[in-house]
């Protein structure tokens, strides 16, 4: 990436992220939820999701430390999402596909994770993204 793009991405609070799957590398520009409040709000009330956008919850938990089991829900979230639970090594532990809008049913990670990525519902299947695929981003980003 060139430095002009990196600077622009940092200014608007987004972050470049890639997922390497068996059929290639998929690029996204995602928002970052890094504080407790940002992570609690997530993509609630949002209808402006873009196919190559999303939200990265990192660090997870927001206080840092060792990976923990995560559980998300769709309360106040009008758009279906794919929720990708990411291990500390960057591999995808679980994908909850096409989550049900407004549902308050917990969606567990199934194991400790260090990050969570929310994408537009159906994108993981559409792009061939699967559990075990590698997710990378600039971990030095502030």
């Amino acid at each position: 990436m060139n430095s002009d793009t990196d600077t622009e991405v940092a200014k608007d609070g987004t972050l470049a992220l890639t997922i390497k799957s068996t059929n290639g590398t998929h690029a996204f520009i995602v928002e970052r939820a890094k504080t407790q409040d940002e992570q609690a709000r997530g993509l609630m009330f949002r209808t402006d999701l873009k196919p190559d956008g999303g939200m990265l919850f990192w660090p997870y938990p927001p206080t840092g430390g060792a990976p923990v089991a995560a559980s998300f829900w769709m309360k106040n979230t009008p758009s279906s999402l794919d929720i990708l639970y990411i291990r500390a090594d960057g591999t995808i532990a679980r994908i909850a596909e096409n989550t049900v809008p407004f549902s308050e049913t917990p969606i567990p990670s199934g194991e400790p994770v260090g990050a969570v990525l929310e994408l537009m519902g159906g994108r993981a299947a559409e792009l061939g993204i699967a559990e075990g695929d590698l997710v990378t981003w600039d971990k030095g980003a502030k």
Side-chain angles (χ1 to χ4, degrees), residues 17 19 28-33 38-46 49-58 60 71-75 77 79-86 94-96 99 107 115-124 135:
L17 176 145
I19 301 175
F28 298 88
I29 300 295
V30 298
E31 298 172 51
R32 183 170 164 207
E38 289 169 343
Q39 290 189 8
R41 185 174 52 256
L43 290 172
M44 286 183 178
F45 310 105
R46 300 279 297 274
L49 304 179
K50 295 179 177 29
D52 295 323
M55 182 170 280
L56 178 67
F57 296 71
W58 174 75
Y60 192 86
S71 185
F72 278 47
W73 64 357
M74 295 294 292
K75 181 178 180 178
T77 307
S79 301
S80 179
L81 302 173
D82 287 348
I83 302 175
L84 288 68
Y85 294 102
I86 304 166
R94 176 175 185 231
I95 301 174
T99 56
I107 305 165
V116 180
L117 176 63
E118 292 180 339
L119 302 175
M120 181 183 283
R123 284 299 279 166
V135 183

Side-chain angles (χ1 to χ4, degrees), residues 13-27:
T14 59
L15 188 63
L17 176 145
T18 60
I19 301 175
K20 185 175 182 181
S21 65
T22 57
N23 65 352
T25 300
H26 309 285

